[in-house]
């Protein structure tokens, strides 16, 4: 099966992820979850735009829809980016450690491999920001989807962060690695509680009238 992830159906993707092949692994699955989160955010806008109660928010909702669509596509593209970034690292792992330039090659491959999950994390943060607003101006008939969206983004953030640190932990340049990992951790720590707050708020609204 080719690695044309963009055109795989759900069966093909999940079968490949379940196999012994290294990709799509945690990074690719996190990207897919993030893309699904963004798609649900877009759906909330589409189910809200045009409703009389929310007409004053039409322009803002259209902006959120555009942003969510862009994030959906970018996160979907990150599945392939993650696989492509991992390929040189996998090849480097197979080399004898006494290969000339081994450490330099490994360091560069680790840096490249850390970039897609860091991008996935940043995109998921943006999805959470959209859901924060949608909990306020989204149709009540659709905000359960915003809650689902925000929790998918929440989980995808953790998966992406894990795929950052699995690479930074092996880097020899500890100043670079620690700074890179710390920036990812700051996003995770800052936005995970915000995602849970959105979920809890929507849950409360639906249960309490």
């Amino acid at each position: 099966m080719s690695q044309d992830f963009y055109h795989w159906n759900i069966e093909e993707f999940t079968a490949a992820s379940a196999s012994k092949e290294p990709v799509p692994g945690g990074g690719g699955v996190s990207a897919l979850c993030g893309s699904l989160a963004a798609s649900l955010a877009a759906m909330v806008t589409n189910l809200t735009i045009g409703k009389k109660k929310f007409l004053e928010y039409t322009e803002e909702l259209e902006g959120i829809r555009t942003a969510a669509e862009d994030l959906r596509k970018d996160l979907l593209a990150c599945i392939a980016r993650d696989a492509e970034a991992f390929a040189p690292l996998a090849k480097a792992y197979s080399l004898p450690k006494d290969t000339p330039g081994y450490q330099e090659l490994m360091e560069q491959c680790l840096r490249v491999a850390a970039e897609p999950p860091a991008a996935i994390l940043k995109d998921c943060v943006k999805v959470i920001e959209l859901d924060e607003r949608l909990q306020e101006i989204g149709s009540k008939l659709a905000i359960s989807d915003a809650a689902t969206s925000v929790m998918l983004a929440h989980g995808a953030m953790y998966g992406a962060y894990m795929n950052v640190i699995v690479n930074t932990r092996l880097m020899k340049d500890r100043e670079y690695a620690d700074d890179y990992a710390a920036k990812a951790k700051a996003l995770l720590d800052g936005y995970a509680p915000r995602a849970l707050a959105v979920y809890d708020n929507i849950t409360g609204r639906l249960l309490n009238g």
Side-chain angles (χ1 to χ4, degrees):
M1 186 184 295
S2 72
Q3 290 189 350
D4 184 10
F5 303 109
Y6 195 85
H7 294 100
W8 280 4
N9 62 37
I10 294 171
E11 166 61 25
E12 289 170 333
F13 185 93
T14 55
S17 183
S19 75
K20 64 181 180 180
E21 294 300 319
V23 293
V29 170
S30 296
L32 178 59
C33 287
S35 182
L36 291 169
S39 71
L40 283 174
M43 187 179 79
V44 175
T45 66
N46 283 319
L47 290 172
T48 304
I49 291 171
K51 291 189 178 296
K52 187 178 297 186
K53 184 178 177 181
F54 301 97
L55 288 178
E56 65 182 295
Y57 303 114
T58 297
E59 185 175 350
E60 184 178 2
L61 284 164
E62 288 175 345
I64 292 173
R65 179 173 61 187
T66 298
E69 269 295 298
D70 288 344
L71 288 165
R72 180 186 68 81
K73 293 174 183 176
D74 192 63
L75 281 157
L76 205 57
C78 280
I79 299 173
R81 290 180 203 150
D82 184 71
E84 290 163 1
F86 177 75
L89 180 61
K91 186 175 181 179
Y93 276 133
S94 70
L95 296 173
K97 291 187 177 181
D98 59 357
T99 300
Y102 176 82
Q103 288 298 341
E104 292 79 6
L105 174 63
M106 180 62 72
E107 190 77 3
Q108 180 58 30
C109 288
L110 289 167
R111 289 192 182 195
V112 170
E115 290 173 1
I120 294 164
L121 177 54
K122 291 174 183 176
D123 276 354
C124 288
V125 160
K126 294 175 184 176
V127 175
I128 290 169
E129 290 176 342
L130 298 181
D131 286 323
E132 284 181 319
R133 186 56 178 149
L134 288 173
Q135 72 178 326
E136 303 297 336
I137 64 171
S139 169
K140 191 172 182 179
L141 296 175
I143 59 169
S144 62
D145 297 298
T148 304
S149 168
V150 85
M151 291 308 291
L152 281 171
H154 179 272
M157 276 201 313
Y158 276 90
Y161 173 71
M162 184 58 59
N163 281 271
V164 170
I165 63 171
V166 77
N167 290 298
T168 57
R169 71 186 180 94
L170 297 174
M171 293 177 185
K172 299 301 182 183
D173 184 344
R174 293 316 309 164
E175 182 178 357
Y176 177 90
D178 291 344
D179 179 67
Y180 204 91
K183 288 177 179 175
K185 185 65 159 57
L187 283 176
L188 185 71
D189 289 346
Y191 279 85
R194 289 170 64 168
L196 294 176
V198 172
Y199 184 84
D200 288 342
N201 178 53
I202 293 174
T203 300
R205 287 176 61 189
L206 293 176
L207 290 178
N208 300 314

